[in-house]
């Protein structure tokens, strides 16, 4: 390798690492004019092109990088992501299978690789969901979560898909995982609260919503759910509370107040204790209360 080529490689890689893609491309293309045997040059150019939205050109560069080095994990991941962007889901799945086979040969994938594969599965899940293939979408999200169980957004998405499919128990499981992965993420607690409330665990739901508000005092969703549940509880408590018997009264105001607060059954009892002097008024009030 001549000195000029070495300089271009160093320069191209430095610009690429700094995300100075225009400068990186200029140096990398000069390298390709001299030689086409560097897999990482094709991979870096593929990333530059992908960032610009030129997926077809990026695809060609990633494919060339993989041809030069079939065990180039980063290039394989980039190729799989690009296939997804182009709607070539089966091709993306095949590339992923190659990566998984390589994982078995070479050990556990590094976190970077796991994250990229997990996001690829999540993208594929969204594609399935968009066309109504719910079970396939769930299957892809399960693969994503298996790779990156601490990714809060993936746990939340899977939980919500289970919730929408009617499986509240599994929805709660993944909402709990999302909350535990990031205890300070209020939306996870809000969604967990909804699942808990739907499963009949209202006290736990309220605790999650209150914690969400402690984290994010302006969270309107948590406020709304708390108001709703507490209003219902108050209404039930009021309905269940024993009614005190109303003492006889000859005062017109007392009779009307009692009728306003009484249930239809209690109105009859109240009328039976009303004095003869107020009989006409209470009979009129009773008719209005039953109408």
């Amino acid at each position: 390798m001549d000195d000029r080529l070495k300089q271009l490689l160093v320069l191209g890689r430095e610009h690429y690492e700094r995300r100075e893609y225009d400068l990186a491309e200029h140096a990398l293309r000069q390298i390709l004019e001299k030689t086409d045997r560097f897999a990482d040059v094709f991979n870096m150019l593929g990333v530059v092109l992908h960032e610009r939205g030129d997926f077809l050109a990026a695809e060609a560069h990633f494919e060339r990088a993989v041809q030069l080095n079939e065990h180039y994990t980063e290039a394989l991941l980039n190729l799989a992501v690009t296939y997804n962007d182009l709607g070539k889901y089966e091709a993306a799945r095949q590339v992923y299978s190659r990566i998984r086979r390589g994982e078995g040969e070479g050990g556990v994938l590094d976190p970077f690789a796991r994250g990229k594969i997990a996001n690829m599965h999540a993208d594929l899940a969204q594609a399935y969901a968009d066309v109504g293939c719910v079970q396939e979408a769930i299957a892809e999200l399960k693969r994503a979560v298996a790779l990156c169980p601490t990714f809060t957004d993936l746990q939340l998405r899977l939980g919500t898909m289970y919730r929408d499919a009617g499986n509240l128990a599994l929805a709660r499981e993944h909402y709990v995982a999302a909350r535990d992965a990031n205890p300070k993420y209020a939306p996870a607690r809000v969604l967990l609260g909804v699942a808990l409330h739907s499963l009949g665990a209202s006290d736990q739901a309220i605790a999650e919503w209150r914690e969400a508000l402690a984290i994010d005092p302006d969270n309107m969703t948590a406020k709304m759910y708390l108001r709703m549940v507490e209003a219902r509880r108050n209404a039930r408590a009021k309905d269940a509370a024993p009614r005190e018997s109303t003492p006889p009264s000859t005062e017109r105001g007392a009779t009307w107040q009692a009728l306003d607060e009484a249930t239809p059954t209690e109105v009859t009892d109240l009328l039976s204790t009303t004095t003869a002097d107020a009989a006409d008024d209470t009979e009129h009030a009773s008719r209005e209360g039953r109408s």
Side-chain angles (χ1 to χ4, degrees), residues 126-141:
Q126 187 60 54
Y128 276 125
D130 288 344
V131 296
C133 299
V134 176
Q135 293 306 315
E136 289 83 356
I138 288 175
E140 291 299 332
L141 276 176

Side-chain angles (χ1 to χ4, degrees), residues 81 96 110 197 229 248:
V81 170
Y96 169 69
D110 61 62
H197 180 63
V229 172

Side-chain angles (χ1 to χ4, degrees), residues 10-174:
V10 170
L11 190 62
R13 288 168 179 160
E14 286 181 350
H15 286 309
Y16 177 82
E17 292 298 328
R18 295 172 186 162
R19 299 181 66 84
E20 300 168 347
Y21 288 152
D22 288 341
L23 296 173
E25 182 182 15
H26 181 69
L28 295 171
R29 290 200 181 280
Q30 289 185 69
I31 295 170
L32 289 185
E33 291 174 2
K34 296 177 174 292
T35 179
D36 64 352
R37 61 188 179 88
F38 291 112
D40 66 332
V41 170
F42 282 100
N43 180 65
M44 287 186 285
L45 272 173
V47 170
V48 171
L49 293 164
H50 187 278
E51 285 289 312
R52 291 179 184 162
D54 191 349
F55 298 147
L56 287 173
E59 174 190 29
H61 283 75
F62 293 138
E63 286 177 341
R64 179 57 179 156
V66 171
Q67 288 174 358
L68 290 168
N69 181 358
E70 62 181 8
H71 300 297
Y72 194 170
T73 300
E74 185 177 351
L76 284 166
L77 288 168
N78 289 332
L79 179 59
V81 170
T82 304
Y83 280 152
N84 264 340
D85 292 332
L86 291 169
K88 299 180 178 180
Y89 301 122
E90 183 56 34
R93 188 189 300 277
Q94 291 175 6
V95 173
Y96 169 69
S97 296
R98 287 179 61 179
I99 297 170
R100 295 294 294 182
R101 288 196 295 271
E103 175 188 352
E105 295 167 4
V108 178
L109 290 173
D110 61 62
F112 171 80
R114 284 183 176 275
K116 293 202 73 169
I117 295 175
N119 287 330
M120 183 182 75
H121 280 300
D123 290 341
L124 187 52
Q126 187 60 54
Y128 276 125
D130 288 344
V131 296
C133 299
V134 176
Q135 293 306 315
E136 289 83 356
I138 288 175
E140 291 299 332
L141 276 176
K142 285 173 67 177
R143 294 186 180 100
V145 166
L147 283 166
C148 296
T150 61
F151 279 23
T152 302
D153 61 325
L154 296 179
Q155 293 282 9
L156 286 181
R157 287 176 63 180
L158 183 54
T160 298
M161 292 214 72
Y162 276 127
R163 183 198 67 192
D164 292 345
N167 194 330
L168 290 173
L170 283 177
R172 176 180 60 184
E173 178 182 320
H174 289 283

Side-chain angles (χ1 to χ4, degrees), residues 237-281:
K238 183 177 180 181
D239 290 341
R243 301 272 180 174
E244 293 184 2
S245 59
T246 303
S249 173
T250 59
E251 296 182 10
R252 176 186 174 96
T255 301
W256 277 97
Q257 182 180 3
L259 283 169
D260 288 341
E261 295 176 352
T263 65
T265 302
E266 292 169 328
V267 170
T268 304
D269 296 335
L270 178 63
L271 286 174
S272 67
T273 63
T274 305
T275 62
D277 292 341
D280 291 341
D281 289 338

Side-chain angles (χ1 to χ4, degrees), residues 200-212:
S202 295
D203 288 339
Q204 295 177 50
I206 289 172
E208 291 296 337
W209 292 328
R210 285 177 175 166
E211 186 60 33

